[in-house]
Amino acid sequence: MRARKKPWTQEVLQEAMEQDLLIKEPEQLKGKWKKHLQTNSLHVEIGSGKGDYFVGMSSLYPEEGWVGIEKDSVIAGYALRKSFGVIGNNGKFINDDTIKIDLWFNENEIDVIHLNFSDPWPKKAHHKRRLTTPSFGQTYQTLLKNGGQIILKSDNQQFFEDSLVVLSKSFELEDIWVDFRSKEHPEDIISEYEQRFIDLGQPIYRSIWRNRK
């Protein structure tokens, strides 16, 4: 479901482009992201939502490069508003559909892909829309460097279990949690969205996968 249009969205997007925070033509940086971000490590968050994780992690790890991707322009607008004056040169944003991700990044260019609370598309007929389909898995394997990681978090047990099966065909499981927030993990930012589930006492599922080519 798309977010309701906000009168300020286009103004925020335009300002973000002028600040080189929102990348209008990401394909022009294909193979050049690390140089552009002045880093040796590139993280890509697919489905950044309102940007809490993107903003928090890029601030917590300023020596690493962070690219957030969000398809919905209104939601991206919220993320970009939070980024103004906070994100350094190590953080950039893409407002477009992840289906085009192989047009934006080179083979072996990405160090870590973050999938945080992706839409579970619970109906079986809609599973093909998930970000953990076999097709996306093959794409991630190509774009990740050898030894690169996928870090997956979800509140949806069925989606998480289904994703484990799919990802196991292309990646090596490195670590897994069925109640990730039962202990403190200061190295991993809690978004406003995630906090809702924590407050409800729902477990957060998390897994880390290693790319082996």
Side-chain angles (χ1 to χ4, degrees), residues 57-72:
M57 293 296 280
S58 58
S59 299
L60 188 60
Y61 299 99
E63 73 285 359
E64 299 179 354
W66 294 82
V67 178
I69 302 172
E70 174 56 49
K71 178 172 68 173
D72 189 291

Side-chain angles (χ1 to χ4, degrees), residues 157-172:
Q157 182 178 358
Q158 188 62 58
F159 168 75
F160 185 74
E161 291 176 351
D162 290 348
S163 297
L164 293 182
V165 173
V166 173
L167 293 175
S168 67
K169 297 176 181 178
S170 302
F171 301 90
E172 177 183 327

Side-chain angles (χ1 to χ4, degrees), residues 106-125:
N106 250 351
E107 294 182 12
N108 308 308
E109 187 171 13
I110 301 173
D111 291 86
V112 185
I113 289 175
H114 299 262
L115 299 173
N116 291 313
F117 303 95
S118 306
D119 193 327
W121 294 107
K123 292 184 179 179
K124 191 170 183 179

Side-chain angles (χ1 to χ4, degrees), residues 11-24:
E11 182 179 339
V12 168
L13 297 179
Q14 182 61 40
E15 183 178 350
M17 282 189 286
E18 292 173 358
Q19 293 187 18
D20 193 37
L21 173 59
L22 177 62
I23 306 300
K24 185 177 181 180

Side-chain angles (χ1 to χ4, degrees), residues 9 15 47 56 63 66 80 90 94 101 130 139 160 163 178 189:
T9 299
E15 183 178 350
E63 73 285 359
W66 294 82
L80 291 166
N90 69 313
I94 297 172
I101 192 171
R130 289 175 169 178
T139 299
F160 185 74
S163 297
V178 294
I189 294 295

Side-chain angles (χ1 to χ4, degrees), residues 12 18 50 56 93 96 113 145 160 181:
V12 168
E18 292 173 358
K50 293 184 178 180
F93 210 86
D96 209 334
I113 289 175
K145 71 176 186 180
F160 185 74
R181 296 302 182 185

Side-chain angles (χ1 to χ4, degrees), residues 92-160:
K92 304 297 176 186
F93 210 86
I94 297 172
N95 175 209
D96 209 334
D97 195 328
T98 304
I99 196 69
K100 305 175 186 177
I101 192 171
D102 59 348
L103 301 178
W104 307 331
F105 299 94
N106 250 351
E107 294 182 12
N108 308 308
E109 187 171 13
I110 301 173
D111 291 86
V112 185
I113 289 175
H114 299 262
L115 299 173
N116 291 313
F117 303 95
S118 306
D119 193 327
W121 294 107
K123 292 184 179 179
K124 191 170 183 179
H126 295 163
H127 285 189
K128 61 185 177 181
R129 302 180 186 179
R130 289 175 169 178
L131 289 173
T132 54
T133 62
S135 177
F136 268 124
Q138 292 172 6
T139 299
Y140 301 152
Q141 187 177 41
T142 298
L143 300 181
L144 281 166
K145 71 176 186 180
N146 185 32
Q149 296 176 316
I150 292 178
I151 301 179
L152 170 69
K153 279 195 298 184
S154 180
D155 62 291
N156 188 292
Q157 182 178 358
Q158 188 62 58
F159 168 75
F160 185 74

